[in-house]
Amino acid sequence: MIDYYRFSLAQDWIGAQHQASRYVSRESMMSEAALASTHSTDAALQRIPFGAPAEQVAAAIASDGAVILTGVLTREQVAEVNKDLDPHFDAIGQGNFGQGEENFLADFMGHRTKRVVHCVRYSKTLRDVMLASPVLAEYVSALVPGAPGNHSLGSSQAIEIHPGEKAQTLHRDANTMLELLQRFERGGPEMLINSLLGLTDVTEEMGATRVIPGSHLWDDYRREATQAETIPALLNAGDLLLFSGRVLHGGGANVTKDRPRRVLSTAFAISFFMGEEAWPFVIPVEEVRTYPKQVQGYLGFRSVSFAGEEPGFLWRVEAQPLEEHLAL
Ligand SMILES: O=C(O)CCC(=O)C(=O)O
Ligand SMILES: [Fe+2]
């Protein structure tokens, strides 16, 4: 049995935790016994067609903490994104975030899971169709403070859960932000939301993401969560699970013999929170010139308009908007 508390001390886990918002702390761990029991209820998340009014999407997240947006990408577009990502998956092995029973981060990221980061860079279809979408920007803005398109891309990570992977520890993606700001409780602004795009059809057996609907509204965020409270978020390829940074969730166990489950995680945060991926050091400015403007903004290559002012007031150079400085 893994003693998470011991490892949190031994590995200076707190330091690592501050680098990324979604890794869980000792307080929000669930017990091994709880991990062992997995069964779903008949409850299901709402499914809303992509393009529906932002108020409808925001209302679903306000009540359940998560919603499935159907048809964000067509099957053809999904195939293009997969073609773009395949070489990057081929280049890495399972457990590429580290190995070892006693390495908490590696365990959280999954020993039988492949994670490809910086995906925004690898797929034009992903940039043009999903990230440049004004509809998605509206949804994000309805949930997270900031004008549409003026959020930071917290991560762009494809997650492929392979057969034999166990269920991931249940967690809240905005966990660390909430704790640091002493808002580890319900209410208050949404600081980060995450989304998972089905790049395969996603069944429960393949490791559909487990969600506890309504857990963003719990009175006690330190209450222990059990797998028995979760339901699987079933996706057709091209559907998007959009969820609050406050809702408990985790990757599911893949109990198939031979069917990897691939999704793409795209997280959006309040513009002034640091994301997981250091975009300006990952993507050369010459390359970013070819990206849609909205995507340049998500990646930190444009000044940020928090309250809708034009040009953005935050993230400037010598009082000049960053986009002018970079001649974008
Ligand atoms: O792979 C999944 O279904 C969820 C992954 C996740 O929640 C995470 O890594 O933060
Ligand atoms: Fe997560």
Side-chain angles (χ1 to χ4, degrees), residues 22-23 108-109 113 115 157 159-161 168-169 171 173 194 196 207-210 241 243 249-252 261 263 265 276:
R22 69 205 162 111
Y23 310 140
F108 181 75
M109 296 306 216
T113 296
R115 292 178 183 254
Q157 182 184 115
I159 308 171
E160 196 171 73
I161 297 183
Q168 187 186 34
T169 302
H171 59 281
D173 281 346
N194 201 352
L196 296 171
T209 307
R210 316 289 314 184
L241 171 69
F243 57 103
H249 69 282
R261 182 226 69 171
V263 301
S265 164
E276 285 181 33

Side-chain angles (χ1 to χ4, degrees), residues 202-262:
V202 175
T203 65
E204 181 165 15
E205 297 70 31
M206 289 162 73
T209 307
R210 316 289 314 184
V211 179
I212 305 186
S215 52
H216 61 311
L217 300 175
W218 283 6
D219 281 334
D220 181 5
Y221 272 23
R222 298 187 193 276
R223 151 148 115 68
E224 195 171 281
T226 66
Q227 286 284 347
E229 295 169 276
T230 66
I231 59 170
L234 307 179
L235 305 176
N236 291 317
D239 292 348
L240 187 75
L241 171 69
L242 183 66
F243 57 103
S244 165
R246 296 166 172 275
V247 83
L248 283 163
H249 69 282
N254 188 329
V255 297
T256 69
K257 275 212 193 66
D258 53 7
R259 290 160 66 206
R261 182 226 69 171
R262 189 186 284 187

